[in-house]
Every structure is written in structure tokens, then in C-alpha cells.
Amino acid sequence: MPLSRLMIQQFRNIKACDISLSSGFNFLIGANGSGKTSVLEAIYMLGHGRSFKSSLTGRVIQNECQELFVHGRFLNPDQIEIPVGINKQRDGTVEVKIGGQSGQKLAQLAQVLPLQLIHPEGFELLTDGPKQRRAFIDWGVFHSVAAFFDAWGRFRRLNKQRNALLKTATDYRELKYWDAELSHLAEQIDAWRADYVAQIKPVAEALCQSFLPEFEIQLQYYRGWEKETLYQTLLERNFERDKMLGYTFSGPNKADLRIKVNGTPVEDVLSRGQLKLMVCALRVAQGQHLTSLTGKQCIYLIDDFASELDSERRKRLADCLKATGAQVFVSSITRDQVDDMCMSDSKLFHVEQGRIEQG
Ligand SMILES: Nc1ncnc2c1ncn2[C@@H]1O[C@H](COP(=O)(O)OP(=O)(O)OP(=O)(O)O)[C@@H](O)[C@H]1O
Ligand SMILES: [Mg+2]
């Protein structure tokens, strides 16, 4: 669902900004340190409630200021403008407004503004541990299964309680009661994730293949514990080991999306540019799948568009994004790197020392 307007206040080096947006491509052009990534960070905060660069709100709020604001208007499927906003203060207070109503939850923001971020460190999705790939799967499940958010939250709380109990328990029977509910949630979460990966797999593999035709790419879901074993049976069997470790070793909190290229883990085969292309393919595939499943369009945030990609690969990515019909924000240091992406409905913004002006 595209944003038609964006207002940012006291966010990094942006004192105040109020811009009308294109529901197609929006380009942010400016020198190093001018504030391009900060604009994308602000949009990301509107959809996720947090920054993608820092977990400390104090770093994001403008120096010498007490609070930041990001407000936007998005167009709902009936083309009606709905205001959304987030206010964060140095003392940790967060206020979310949707449709003029205060006291809304961050998850509701995420629901109305699905976002996909592609940034220069994004290849960590493929090269780092499973946490980010789990987040990738869960983004899809969150947007397609309404009950997932609560179930995952409950699982994490119960898992924490179990880990605390493990430290004092002397007999498995002390955990059995907790494990029954934990297992029920684990099996449910696993079923949703497996189902989502089965749906996204053909779309993602085909798009990865079209971006990197020289490789054969395979995605495989790993649920976090061995196949064909009930989670409750596994917990009982591993009680002594988990007790020794002081935490529950296996489970949905260890799930992963394993990605191989010609049968070898991606990070051992692909160059940095190729890794970036693959991340783009995975993120765009996820957005396309969301649209086909729910009719919702996600917003793409592409930071430092030109980095790592040659002109041919940039064109391939741009064409693919155009074909989605989604709203796209692209940051770039120079205009010539995005010139051939401009269309009649695109908007270009110059960013200079925290000021954003339409060019
Ligand atoms: N809390 C803050 N208050 C004020 N200014 C800040 C704060 N945090 C960061 N900055 C400044 O804001 C600017 C943020 O720049 P940003 O990362 O958005 O630049 P950019 O245009 O993306 O640059 P690059 O092309 O190098 O990626 C930097 O100049 C930084 O020093
Ligand atoms: Mg930047």
C-alpha cells in the first residue's frame, strides 16, 4: 500500500521534511552523509517501529532533541488516504497512531505497511546465521496467517520460562505440563512456516534463476529439530542435555531457510554482487507472493542502489521492480545511476544536509 505523503521531524540530520510521493518510483539523490539512508530509515520505522541501523532510539532522535516523529499517509485498497504515525521519545515512550487513533500496536503498523528493505549490508541474509533467514520466513507468515504473531510471542515467552525452569528442575516431570503447550505451539508454528516456504519456494527459485541464470538455486526449509519427531518427544528425550546446556537446544527458534547454489552453500560460491542480486530476488519474490496471496502491495526501500551492481544487473533489478507495480524508494549518490529508471510518474528528491526537496 503506497505512501502518498511523508513527514519526518527530528530524525537523524533531518530537522523537518514534508514531501508528496509518487506511488511508483521515488529517487533520493545526494552526497555522502546528506540524509538519504535516514529517509529510508524513517519509512522503515513507520512500518516496523524501529530502525534497521540502530536498536537505540537515542541514536536516531536528532541530537539535542527529545523526540522524533514520522508521519505518513497511505492509500488503502479503496484509494482512501489513511494517516499513520509514530512518535518516539528519549525516555523510551512510543506512540503509534493509525487512522487518527492513538494507542495502536506496532504489529498493526507492520500489518498496514509491509516493507522490503534492500541495503548494502543486506547480503548478511545469506552469509550470517539463521536468525535473519528465520525473520525472512516469519515476515511472510506474519502477513499471511493472522494468528502467527500471538502464537510466536507465546512460544518465545514459554521457551524463556522453560529455560529458567531447566536450571532448577531435577526430574523431567516438572517440565511436562509446560512442554505440552510449548509443543503444541511449536508444531503449529512449524506447520505455518513449512507451508509458507512451500508456497514461496517456486516463486523465489524462479526469480533467483532469472537474476543468476548461470546457477541452480535451491531453497530448503529446516524446522529446527529432526524430521518425523514430535517436539514433545524430543523435549523429553533431550531433557538431560538441555539441562546441562541451561537452555532448550532444538526447536522453532532454530529454524532456517537453507539456500544452496549448485548444491553448495551460497556464501561459498557467490560473489558480493551475486549475493546482492540473490537477496534482491528473494525480497522481490516475497513481495510478489504477498500481492498474489492477499492483494497487498509492499513498499521497496533500496538503499545505495548502485553499490555492487554493474549497469546490466541494475537494469535487470529495475525492470523487475517496475513489473511489480509497487512503490519503490531508491537512494543514489548521483542521478545518472538511476536516470534510465525514471518514468513519467517518478519523483526525484534532492537531499542536502538533511533537507529534502523535490527536483
Ligand atoms: N542523531 C543524530 N542527530 C543529528 N545528525 C545525525 C544523527 N545521527 C546521524 N546523524 C547525521 O545524519 C547524517 C545521516 O546521513 P545518512 O546516513 O542518511 O546519509 P546518506 O545520504 O545515506 O549518506 P551515504 O551516501 O554516505 O550513505 C550523517 O551526516 C550523520 O552524521
Ligand atoms: Mg546512506
Side-chain angles (χ1 to χ4, degrees), residues 17-31:
C17 141
D18 182 352
I19 47 178
S20 293
L21 304 166
S22 161
S23 51
F25 277 66
N26 296 276
F27 300 100
L28 300 159
I29 311 294

Side-chain angles (χ1 to χ4, degrees), residues 295-311:
K296 274 193 210 171
Q297 276 280 19
C298 70
I299 298 172
Y300 293 91
L301 308 176
I302 321 262
D303 195 17
D304 209 355
F305 177 70
S307 80
E308 319 269 9
L309 298 181
D310 60 41
S311 60

Side-chain angles (χ1 to χ4, degrees), residues 240-351:
E240 289 299 337
R241 184 189 65 177
D242 287 349
K243 194 174 157 42
M244 237 166 55
L245 290 169
Y247 66 93
T248 312
F249 185 74
S250 307
N253 45 332
K254 287 285 167 71
D256 195 0
L257 181 66
R258 293 180 174 161
I259 305 173
K260 289 193 169 172
V261 165
N262 299 344
T264 309
V266 272
E267 67 271 27
D268 294 342
V269 180
L270 299 186
S271 71
R272 281 171 66 98
Q274 288 169 333
L275 284 169
K276 176 160 179 171
L277 273 174
M278 190 162 190
V279 170
C280 294
L282 289 169
R283 301 235 176 258
V284 175
Q286 201 164 41
Q288 283 179 344
H289 178 66
L290 176 78
T291 308
S292 66
L293 199 70
T294 65
K296 274 193 210 171
Q297 276 280 19
C298 70
I299 298 172
Y300 293 91
L301 308 176
I302 321 262
D303 195 17
D304 209 355
F305 177 70
S307 80
E308 319 269 9
L309 298 181
D310 60 41
S311 60
E312 193 194 317
R313 304 307 189 300
R314 288 207 294 266
K315 187 171 175 339
R316 202 172 292 176
L317 171 60
D319 287 346
C320 183
L321 285 167
K322 276 180 200 165
T324 66
Q327 186 174 41
V328 185
F329 292 83
V330 177
S331 82
S332 179
I333 291 169
T334 58
R335 192 184 164 149
D336 59 308
Q337 284 165 331
V338 296
D339 255 350
D340 54 352
M341 293 166 79
C342 280
M343 291 178 287
S344 55
D345 67 343
S346 304
K347 282 196 175 174
L348 192 134
F349 300 93
H350 294 287
V351 186

Side-chain angles (χ1 to χ4, degrees), residues 46-48 105-114 142-143 296:
L46 201 53
H48 282 257
K105 299 232 159 63
L106 289 174
Q108 287 170 293
L109 263 188
Q111 232 7 295
V112 295
L113 280 184
F142 171 81
H143 284 290
K296 274 193 210 171

